[in-house]
Amino acid sequence: MTTSRPLPPPPAPAPDTAPPPEAVAPLVRGIAVLRRLTDTDGTAALGDLERATGLARSTVDRVVATLARMGYVRLDGRDVVLAPRLMELGNAYLAALRLPALLAGHADALADALDESVSLAVADGDGIRFLHQATRRRALSLSFRIGDLLPAERTAPGPLLAGEWSAEDWHRWHRRRAADPGDRAFPAVPPRSRTLSGPAFETAVERARADGWALDDQLIEPGLVALSVPVRGADGRIACVASVVSHTSRHSADSLRTILLPPLRSAVAAMERTLATAPPAEPADRPSGLAGWTGASKQELGREFVESLARGLTVVTAFGEGRPELTLTAVAEATGLARATARRALITLAHLGYVTPHGRGFRLTPRVLALGFPPLSRTTVTRIARPHLAALGRSVQDSTALAVLTGDEVQYTARSTTGRIMDVDIAVGSRLPAYATSTGRVLLAALPPGERAARLGPAARDPLTARTVTRPADLAAVLDRTRADGFALVDEELEAGLRSLAVPLHDRHGTVLAAINITLHSSRRTPAQCVTDLLPALRATATAIEADLHIASRFARVPLL
Ligand code: PHB
């Protein structure tokens, strides 16, 4: 062990600094609402937002209306719910940082090789914040979410990252420990039970500095153990920390170190090589024309639209891949905002800790992930689709559903009904033969020909009605046509009196992963009317779901269910 460097004593607590006079008050309020929604796991009643933020109800209403217009939240009765689109803020930070794009593959490969969860975390003030999680599905595993903030002293990455703390960072840590003995500022962790004394953490920091690794032996909660190694950038400083996380039923802290330290170290060496050799990021194009959009929204919504909030949040999206550091001029250009407007937004975001001055410009900080990322990063395709299917169902007044292919059947994972007496009744979880359903046809049509044939088999299928297409050659022709058309219309082939229209849903890479449909009684519309009246709305819904899905899955894994 190296000789201990004396650590500075805790100073007297400093009062919270008041916002600078240029701060944009509506932006401060909007962020307060987003933070509360994040801490309440993505859903809060309007009344709760009012109480928790101390804002007047009319202010909460206007903030929520503005965030809803931006696609960042939606209203569900009296509840406000975070929407996937909000992840574009965290995505801007993660893309600008580049570490997930460069290192996630290494972390995922290590998790597969060890069959244990692996995470990447960075320092955020006196806490650690997760950038990436390669998790295992196990009963005995508590895993944190991308964007979760943990107190440094209760984690394995903490002592490694605290080795780079300044005197000011240590002051802040002592102040926080004294002011918040229960770790209430960290909603992702259970309250502190065992008190780790200040000197014990300082000792752990010194040991981590000497060893080049650190352990968490159930500091967060009983059973949870973790081993961490720093990943250094080309400049020699810690870029992030890689951790292997396990449970005492599989590993003690001791066996983690003896068995898993070597593979963790070689994975980290590979990560460091990637960082050292990565070519510079290509700057992505920025959509401009924001000023026009906010202006139009203001025209339409009037007092209910708080333009300065929308503009302030959009400043965050000016950053991104190849754009980690932007000057005021670059932010103004990318957003289309007036310089004075962009400047006040940056000052406000800097005051709140979401951007930090760097070089001649500004950078985003990991705190941006606190704007909704943890609850939103745990979403599924089904959950993303649900509100869109409900909106479509309300607009066309017929039932809608989402289905995936399993074997030669489709399984319905989400649906919305009209409440009409003669409603089509297909329960979530139920399965139907793919060859005779519109969703099944769309999903079969998307398969490579060989796989399609393998799933359907060589024999003719059962006729379910007088109209069911059953002969393999006929089905193949129908599926080719479906593929070319980009939709399937199944007319009374599953059940007499039932028509159904489906289109595919694609992931970020263009692969079809599910299908959505509208199902109706044949008396409601002719087949031709299904296409003219329903297909445009169905396609628009698919596009909206895909847009959400592509944002949500940029840095987080989004499973179907
Ligand atoms: C995690 O990735 O979930 C994790 C990492 C380090 C810890 C605890 C949990 O100390």
Side-chain angles (χ1 to χ4, degrees), residues 169-204:
D169 293 326
W170 280 103
H171 288 172
R172 181 174 38 198
W173 181 75
H174 283 289
R175 278 203 304 272
R176 188 260 291 166
R177 294 269 299 173
D180 183 18
D183 290 341
R184 291 177 33 160
F186 301 91
V189 298
R192 207 191 299 174
S193 54
R194 245 184 325 147
T195 38
L196 180 78
S197 68
F201 183 53
E202 288 159 14
T203 306

Side-chain angles (χ1 to χ4, degrees), residues 6 72 119 295 379 525:
Y72 288 175
S119 63
T379 193
R525 284 183 174 91

